[in-house]
Amino acid sequence: MGGVDLARAKRDASLAKVFPILNGVPDASDLPLSSQDLPKAVLSAREIEITEHYTVTKLIELLRERRVTVEEVTRAFLRRAALAQAATNCLTELLWDEAIQRARYLDSLSVPQGVLFGLPISTKEHHGMVGTEVTTSASLVAWIGKKHGSNLLYDTFWNEGCVFFARTTQPQTIMHLETESIVYGKTVNPYNRELTSGGSSGGESALIGMRGSILGVGGDIGGSIRCPAAHVGIYGFKPSIKRISTTGFRNTGTGKETISGCPGPMTVDRDGLELFMKVALSAKPWRIDPALTAKGWAPYTFTSPPKVAVQWWDGVVKPHPPMTRALREVAEACRDAGMEVVDWECDGLDHQKGWDILSALYWPDGGKEILGLLEQTGEPILPLTKFILHEQPTVKDLTQHELWEGSDLNTYRARYAQAWSKTGENGNREVDVILCPPSFGAAIPHGQSRYWGYTSHWNLLDYPAAVFPVTKVDPSLDAKDTAYVPRNSQDKFVHDMYSPERFINAPVSLQVVGRRQEDEKVLAALAEIERAMGRV
Amino acid sequence: MGGVDLARAKRDASLAKVFPILNGVPDASDLPLSSQDLPKAVLSAREIEITEHYTVTKLIELLRERRVTVEEVTRAFLRRAALAQAATNCLTELLWDEAIQRARYLDSLSVPQGVLFGLPISTKEHHGMVGTEVTTSASLVAWIGKKHGSNLLYDTFWNEGCVFFARTTQPQTIMHLETESIVYGKTVNPYNRELTSGGSSGGESALIGMRGSILGVGGDIGGSIRCPAAHVGIYGFKPSIKRISTTGFRNTGTGKETISGCPGPMTVDRDGLELFMKVALSAKPWRIDPALTAKGWAPYTFTSPPKVAVQWWDGVVKPHPPMTRALREVAEACRDAGMEVVDWECDGLDHQKGWDILSALYWPDGGKEILGLLEQTGEPILPLTKFILHEQPTVKDLTQHELWEGSDLNTYRARYAQAWSKTGENGNREVDVILCPPSFGAAIPHGQSRYWGYTSHWNLLDYPAAVFPVTKVDPSLDAKDTAYVPRNSQDKFVHDMYSPERFINAPVSLQVVGRRQEDEKVLAALAEIERAMGRV
């Protein structure tokens, strides 16, 4: 496992540039439960201003108007990211030298270049990029040191003038809704280190949850953008597949067509989501990547208030009380703002069946490839890897004909689409978006993310979905329902997990889901809902 | 093989309604080489007028304005279709009773219903439809009598007021570029019965080539719309996959995602192509069929003359002289009309490699399913089935990992896209469309369609493509190039096949190809090219 040492040494060397000049960071053993108060103890007022006081678009505006230099912004985020690393273990690498060099180059230009001019962007490790060849391992010990180049999406952002400055952790196999790997260990939630920051883009969420970055790139095949974003109370968006390129990402299962992941934004404000999509699509990536849909970003505008269907639960696992309260609060705000709000009934839609289809299609080779890679270096199989690979009875190496019968998938998708269309029958207006939990609860204690349904269901259907922060767990409002009788063993596991004290102050987020390929409508609906909540 | 008798009996019974009232049809043994003069010997002047004198849109206009009844139009096409059957063996079934009943219903409406009001539409057998349950066999003896219902596309047309009146032949496996099956025998070219009408939608082409229909539905996974349309000098369009639904079609390989077919129009005039697309997409089928791209039909308009690249040949098999002449004539017309016309060089693009990728992906199960179905009834394997299944060294039952490595496909596609983008570099304007042969020549003698490259290459790339009639084979213009030295065995086979006399008067067509998902642009370019040719 010499590769592990190599990867850690590279990370540590990259951090060694900043720690001598970062005063007041507690020792690992003295870290507080919540990391939220650390920045003001460590960073200067100016650094706090730069990293906290601006939205993504506002910061770009300041940069383009040269009211702040790219180098000053970059250094502030580099230092805050290093602090986030100390607090949450969210980085695989700090790009100290590269980012400062890039910043100086951008500052040297007579005219600002690109619509992301000077914006620091953090990136998920397995996406890789130029200059990070030996440390793009997709969390696999076997792949440490295996060369890997840049990717199409990052090239686009680079051409638009961004600064890549930090690379973030993801779990083993990149298929947990938490973030732990043999290479980098465990990433923790910046609001409560006893809780997970979610996964698989949980390095991003911990970093952005600390405002060590304000725009990052995640990827989502079962919830990997939405779950971690929700767990730290930031914004995340899972676009429709084939909208954003994954060309050049490092991962197993390359060429698999059963269920695809998609990259997307994780960010501190809603506008950052749309900015990401606009920039990514304005480059017309479908002219280069033949897997993509040829469709530009066409913003959607509601001419009357959207009709919102609330999915109170999915019929399999009952959400924890703070999640139900968040739904209730937002539904009421929507109703008060003049929206039509109805219930989304899942009981006839059999979400459990959806999971049975999906969990098989994640590993059409029965996991052969990934298990072979783990075995190659004797990399221990982590419990949540076992959960998603070995404990799903559906996972097996499929024959071609068994694969074709994955057309169960299409039947299921068609049935769900029909249910959605049905809401528009008999003189009713069709539902525009579903408002639902992005998880059964707030961030949970480590090692317990064993129910994916609230996010993965929308991957199964390939429906675009955004998450946004709503509230925090409050024991005075979110008492346990001790009278509840769980429906099944998963439901019991989740119900037993809850006590309000355990989750105190953890962010609670919600999810907005649209019909297939209605990405623009989802972001428009999110804006309407947030306006109904009294936000700008 | 009792099923064969059942299917033939059904066909014959359906034709029995019309033959007693169709005078002057020669006996099978007395049929002339070309069937083009038969209609005026058999049909009334009024029937000739209805079936020959109008474009698709004009006929719909007359129907909607009630200047002709649906029943009169339907009866004229039923009779002409029966004649086409006698001449070319293109039908699996004439829907005599059903069509007249439907026509009478439409005539009974106080207000014309639907944008296809009263238009007779002919359909490829394996698409199936309500009322044809026992005879939707996809040319497989094993499936005769197996129940099958309607499909999404046909439901759309039905809702728009069309009349389904004739169902057409396709070859065994629906994977030949000719049309011969154990069930229905061989379909011949209406211009020369010694030549093929192409395939797999060769029943449609023979029928429409006789104007026994003016709008039909074909399907194309390797040339199955374009090859037969080209061989009889009609218009055909292969849209991008995932644009038109195949939900409800009967075929083997259901659920296979490697290479997909797509339905499309075959018609007597260019406007029919766009009408088909508009009607099919105005129903927003992507709301029902989760395999489709959510994208309506958005007509494209050139603001300056298109830039056309001429592919004189594909570097594998040299086209016959009449094809090269057609290219020359149309290229000159385009240049004369002010278009920029350049050459499309294939030598660096390795079309043969494309075929090697494609031919494997047609049968990712190594043909197991289809061979099993043939074996089940002892259905003899026809030579062109052997060609595409047994004689392609690439065909095998793939493991999941071998299937994933079909990502060779994506590499090839990306390389081709790059070559196309490159035409727009260095101050050049990017090529809008490629003008190329839809086949190495005109329709060829039966049993010799053993080179698919001129059409299948665009399936491999998923580029939209239309074919249109240009000229006819003329021995005085199309002498054999006896000095030509073939490059390879396929090239030799095709070269040796040619003599102008053998193909005399056979229609010669060309193909217009656009970049991936630029369907609308292809049809716009076709209109510009035809205008350059002096057509309206």
Side-chain angles (χ1 to χ4, degrees):
Chain A
M1 306 257 286
V4 175
D5 295 336
L6 175 74
R8 289 182 191 157
K10 182 126 205 272
R11 174 194 61 191
D12 294 345
S14 79
L15 287 159
K17 310 265 175 175
V18 62
F19 277 114
I21 54 164
L22 204 62
N23 299 315
V25 182
D27 287 342
S29 55
D30 291 335
L31 284 166
L33 194 63
S34 167
S35 307
Q36 293 299 309
D37 292 333
L38 289 177
K40 62 174 173 289
V42 173
L43 303 175
S44 71
R46 175 65 171 159
E47 286 168 338
I48 297 279
E49 183 202 329
I50 288 172
T51 53
E52 268 185 34
H53 290 192
Y54 305 113
T55 64
V56 174
T57 42
K58 184 68 191 175
L59 185 62
I60 295 173
E61 187 187 314
L62 296 179
L63 284 159
R64 290 186 60 90
E65 291 173 359
R66 299 283 168 83
R67 291 163 61 191
V68 59
T69 66
V70 182
E71 185 170 348
E72 189 178 13
V73 169
T74 299
R75 282 181 180 273
F77 278 104
L78 280 166
R79 281 167 51 86
R80 192 158 181 152
L83 173 61
Q85 164 63 15
T88 67
N89 190 33
C90 57
L91 300 188
T92 66
E93 191 170 9
L94 192 69
L95 302 172
W96 181 267
D97 291 336
E98 301 86 337
I100 290 175
Q101 187 192 354
R102 169 73 170 168
R104 287 180 179 162
Y105 163 76
L106 292 170
D107 282 329
S108 77
L109 297 175
S110 53
V111 178
Q113 165 212 316
V115 294
L116 300 178
F117 180 76
L119 181 72
I121 292 184
S122 52
T123 63
K124 195 173 179 178
E125 188 260 9
H126 78 105
H127 297 177
M129 57 175 67
V130 166
T132 60
E133 286 84 351
V134 296
T135 47
T136 300
S137 70
S139 301
L140 278 162
V141 175
W143 280 353
I144 295 172
K146 192 179 167 194
K147 291 225 167 200
H148 192 81
S150 186
N151 68 73
L152 180 54
L153 177 63
Y154 286 21
D155 291 346
T156 299
F157 290 157
W158 183 262
N159 291 337
E160 293 296 343
C162 79
V163 177
F164 293 122
F165 75 107
R167 304 176 67 220
T168 57
T169 52
Q170 75 239 334
Q172 187 180 59
T173 73
I174 324 182
M175 287 291 284
H176 308 173
L177 291 186
E178 303 192 9
T179 296
E180 181 183 8
S181 69
I182 296 297
V183 189
Y184 298 108
K186 195 178 287 180
T187 303
V188 305
N189 193 298
Y191 286 85
N192 181 336
R193 49 194 317 98
E194 305 283 312
L195 306 179
T196 174
S197 64
S200 67
S201 313
E204 278 302 321
S205 68
L207 177 64
I208 302 172
M210 285 288 286
R211 283 193 90 108
S213 166
I214 59 174
L215 180 70
V217 189
D220 193 315
I221 196 172
S224 285
I225 286 172
R226 293 160 294 150
C227 154
H231 282 4
V232 303
I234 64 170
Y235 293 79
F237 181 51
K238 175 193 84 70
S240 298
I241 64 163
K242 300 185 186 301
R243 206 82 199 264
I244 306 284
S245 182
T246 57
T247 291
F249 288 13
R250 167 157 278 168
N251 209 344
T252 55
T254 300
K256 152 170 87 74
E257 291 277 357
T258 48
I259 293 288
S260 303
C262 51
M266 299 171 71
T267 175
V268 292
D269 58 84
R270 193 182 66 233
D271 286 352
L273 303 181
E274 190 138 2
L275 177 70
F276 179 107
M277 295 302 293
K278 272 187 192 157
V279 174
L281 293 181
S282 65
K284 300 188 179 168
W286 57 83
R287 288 168 46 88
I288 298 168
D289 179 349
L292 298 183
T293 302
K295 198 159 102 171
W297 185 257
Y300 185 91
T301 312
F302 282 97
T303 50
S304 60
K307 178 170 171 181
V308 176
V310 180
Q311 183 209 79
W312 297 97
W313 77 310
D314 69 355
V316 185
V317 161
K318 188 90 170 175
H320 288 166
M323 189 56 77
T324 302
R325 174 171 62 84
L327 280 172
R328 208 168 45 232
E329 288 174 8
V330 176
E332 271 166 30
C334 289
R335 216 173 257 125
D336 290 348
M339 296 181 200
E340 187 180 350
V341 179
V342 296
D343 290 342
W344 185 261
E345 295 293 353
C346 294
D347 270 353
L349 292 167
D350 200 352
H351 281 222
Q352 180 59 47
K353 160 91 176 167
W355 175 253
D356 294 341
I357 294 170
L358 183 65
S359 53
L361 295 180
Y362 279 141
W363 314 98
D365 69 339
K368 260 190 187 172
E369 182 195 22
I370 190 105
L371 291 170
L373 285 161
L374 294 172
E375 210 176 308
Q376 199 177 299
T377 58
E379 182 175 341
I381 301 181
L382 292 173
L384 290 181
T385 301
K386 285 196 185 115
F387 162 74
I388 194 64
L389 249 169
H390 292 313
E391 295 169 21
Q392 303 303 319
T394 52
V395 174
K396 60 170 290 204
D397 189 7
L398 303 173
T399 66
Q400 291 297 323
H401 291 177
E402 287 167 336
L403 181 72
W404 297 357
E405 282 152 23
S407 58
D408 256 11
L409 172 66
N410 272 330
T411 309
Y412 190 90
R413 285 176 168 174
R415 199 152 62 88
Y416 220 92
Q418 199 175 22
W420 196 311
S421 294
K422 229 178 153 65
T423 65
E425 290 177 2
N426 303 321
N428 293 309
R429 190 176 142 201
E430 185 173 301
V431 163
D432 289 300
V433 288
I434 296 173
L435 178 72
C436 60
S439 166
F440 52 78
I444 58 172
H446 297 282
Q448 306 200 28
S449 296
R450 290 167 170 270
Y451 185 71
W452 293 26
Y454 281 100
T455 45
S456 64
H457 201 73
W458 314 117
N459 297 87
L460 170 82
L461 296 170
D462 189 24
Y463 288 2
V467 299
F468 61 107
V470 173
T471 183
K472 296 223 162 95
V473 178
D474 180 343
S476 74
L477 299 170
D478 302 320
K480 180 159 182 153
D481 177 5
T482 50
Y484 180 69
V485 181
R487 280 205 193 180
N488 55 60
S489 62
Q490 295 176 92
D491 197 20
K492 183 171 186 322
F493 176 79
V494 166
H495 177 72
D496 289 351
M497 188 191 299
Y498 185 71
S499 82
E501 293 71 26
R502 204 170 183 189
F503 298 93
I504 190 162
N505 281 328
V508 179
S509 303
L510 289 181
Q511 181 172 214
V512 180
V513 175
R515 288 195 79 146
R516 208 168 52 84
Q517 299 186 9
E518 294 190 344
D519 300 56
E520 290 87 344
K521 193 177 192 178
V522 166
L523 293 194
L526 173 57
E528 296 288 332
I529 290 168
E530 287 211 306
R531 276 193 279 272
M533 293 164 72
R535 300 176 182 174
V536 286
Chain B
M1 307 256 287
V4 175
D5 296 336
L6 175 74
R8 289 182 191 157
K10 184 126 203 274
R11 174 194 62 190
D12 295 345
S14 79
L15 287 158
K17 309 267 178 173
V18 63
F19 278 113
I21 52 165
L22 204 62
N23 298 315
V25 183
D27 286 343
S29 55
D30 291 336
L31 284 165
L33 195 64
S34 167
S35 308
Q36 293 299 309
D37 292 334
L38 289 176
K40 62 174 174 288
V42 173
L43 302 174
S44 70
R46 176 65 171 158
E47 286 168 338
I48 297 279
E49 182 201 330
I50 289 171
T51 54
E52 268 185 34
H53 290 194
Y54 306 114
T55 63
V56 173
T57 42
K58 184 68 192 174
L59 186 62
I60 295 172
E61 187 188 316
L62 296 179
L63 283 159
R64 291 185 60 89
E65 291 173 358
R66 298 284 169 81
R67 290 162 62 190
V68 59
T69 66
V70 181
E71 185 170 348
E72 189 179 12
V73 168
T74 300
R75 282 181 179 272
F77 279 103
L78 281 167
R79 282 166 49 87
R80 191 156 181 153
L83 173 60
Q85 164 62 16
T88 67
N89 189 33
C90 58
L91 299 188
T92 66
E93 192 170 8
L94 192 69
L95 302 171
W96 182 267
D97 291 336
E98 300 86 336
I100 290 176
Q101 188 191 355
R102 169 75 169 167
R104 288 181 179 161
Y105 164 75
L106 292 169
D107 282 329
S108 77
L109 298 174
S110 52
V111 178
Q113 166 212 317
V115 295
L116 299 178
F117 181 74
L119 180 73
I121 292 184
S122 52
T123 62
K124 194 172 179 179
E125 188 260 11
H126 78 105
H127 297 176
M129 57 176 65
V130 166
T132 61
E133 286 83 353
V134 297
T135 49
T136 301
S137 70
S139 299
L140 278 162
V141 176
W143 280 352
I144 295 171
K146 193 180 166 194
K147 292 226 166 201
H148 192 81
S150 186
N151 67 73
L152 180 54
L153 177 63
Y154 286 21
D155 291 346
T156 299
F157 290 158
W158 182 263
N159 291 337
E160 293 296 343
C162 79
V163 177
F164 294 122
F165 75 108
R167 303 177 68 222
T168 58
T169 52
Q170 76 240 334
Q172 187 180 60
T173 73
I174 323 182
M175 287 290 285
H176 308 174
L177 292 185
E178 302 193 10
T179 298
E180 181 182 7
S181 68
I182 297 296
V183 189
Y184 298 108
K186 196 179 286 179
T187 303
V188 305
N189 194 298
Y191 286 85
N192 181 337
R193 50 195 315 99
E194 305 283 309
L195 307 179
T196 174
S197 64
S200 70
S201 314
E204 278 303 322
S205 67
L207 177 64
I208 301 171
M210 285 289 286
R211 283 193 89 108
S213 167
I214 58 175
L215 180 70
V217 188
D220 193 318
I221 196 171
S224 287
I225 286 171
R226 292 161 293 149
C227 155
H231 283 2
V232 302
I234 63 171
Y235 293 79
F237 180 53
K238 175 194 85 68
S240 298
I241 63 163
K242 301 187 186 296
R243 204 82 199 264
I244 306 284
S245 183
T246 57
T247 292
F249 287 12
R250 166 157 279 167
N251 210 344
T252 56
T254 299
K256 152 171 88 73
E257 291 277 356
T258 48
I259 293 287
S260 303
C262 51
M266 300 172 70
T267 175
V268 292
D269 59 83
R270 192 182 67 232
D271 287 352
L273 302 180
E274 189 137 2
L275 178 69
F276 179 107
M277 296 301 294
K278 272 187 193 159
V279 174
L281 293 181
S282 65
K284 301 187 177 169
W286 58 84
R287 288 169 45 88
I288 299 168
D289 180 349
L292 298 183
T293 302
K295 196 157 103 172
W297 185 256
Y300 185 91
T301 310
F302 282 98
T303 50
S304 61
K307 178 170 172 181
V308 176
V310 180
Q311 183 210 78
W312 297 97
W313 78 309
D314 69 355
V316 184
V317 161
K318 189 89 169 175
H320 289 166
M323 190 55 77
T324 302
R325 174 170 62 83
L327 280 172
R328 208 167 47 231
E329 288 175 7
V330 176
E332 273 166 28
C334 289
R335 217 174 255 124
D336 290 348
M339 297 181 199
E340 186 179 351
V341 179
V342 297
D343 290 342
W344 185 261
E345 296 291 355
C346 294
D347 270 354
L349 292 167
D350 201 352
H351 280 222
Q352 179 59 48
K353 160 90 176 167
W355 176 253
D356 294 342
I357 295 170
L358 183 66
S359 53
L361 295 180
Y362 279 141
W363 313 100
D365 69 339
K368 258 189 187 171
E369 181 194 23
I370 190 106
L371 291 169
L373 285 162
L374 294 173
E375 209 176 307
Q376 199 176 300
T377 59
E379 182 175 341
I381 301 180
L382 291 173
L384 290 181
T385 300
K386 284 196 186 113
F387 162 75
I388 194 66
L389 249 169
H390 292 313
E391 294 169 23
Q392 303 303 319
T394 52
V395 174
K396 60 169 290 207
D397 189 8
L398 303 174
T399 66
Q400 291 297 323
H401 291 176
E402 286 166 337
L403 182 72
W404 297 356
E405 283 152 23
S407 58
D408 256 11
L409 172 66
N410 272 331
T411 310
Y412 190 90
R413 284 176 169 173
R415 200 153 61 88
Y416 220 93
Q418 201 175 19
W420 196 311
S421 293
K422 229 177 154 68
T423 65
E425 290 176 2
N426 303 321
N428 293 310
R429 188 175 143 201
E430 184 172 301
V431 163
D432 288 301
V433 288
I434 296 174
L435 178 72
C436 60
S439 166
F440 53 78
I444 57 172
H446 297 282
Q448 305 200 29
S449 296
R450 287 164 173 271
Y451 185 71
W452 293 26
Y454 282 100
T455 45
S456 63
H457 201 72
W458 314 117
N459 298 88
L460 171 82
L461 296 170
D462 189 23
Y463 288 1
V467 299
F468 62 108
V470 173
T471 182
K472 296 223 163 94
V473 177
D474 180 344
S476 73
L477 299 170
D478 303 321
K480 181 158 182 154
D481 176 5
T482 50
Y484 180 69
V485 181
R487 278 205 194 180
N488 55 59
S489 61
Q490 294 176 93
D491 198 20
K492 184 170 187 318
F493 177 78
V494 165
H495 179 71
D496 290 349
M497 190 192 298
Y498 185 71
S499 82
E501 293 71 27
R502 206 171 180 188
F503 298 93
I504 189 163
N505 282 326
V508 178
S509 303
L510 289 181
Q511 182 173 213
V512 180
V513 175
R515 287 193 80 144
R516 208 168 52 84
Q517 299 187 9
E518 295 190 344
D519 300 56
E520 290 87 344
K521 193 177 193 179
V522 166
L523 293 193
L526 173 58
E528 297 287 334
I529 291 167
E530 287 213 304
R531 276 194 278 272
M533 294 165 70
R535 299 176 182 174
V536 286

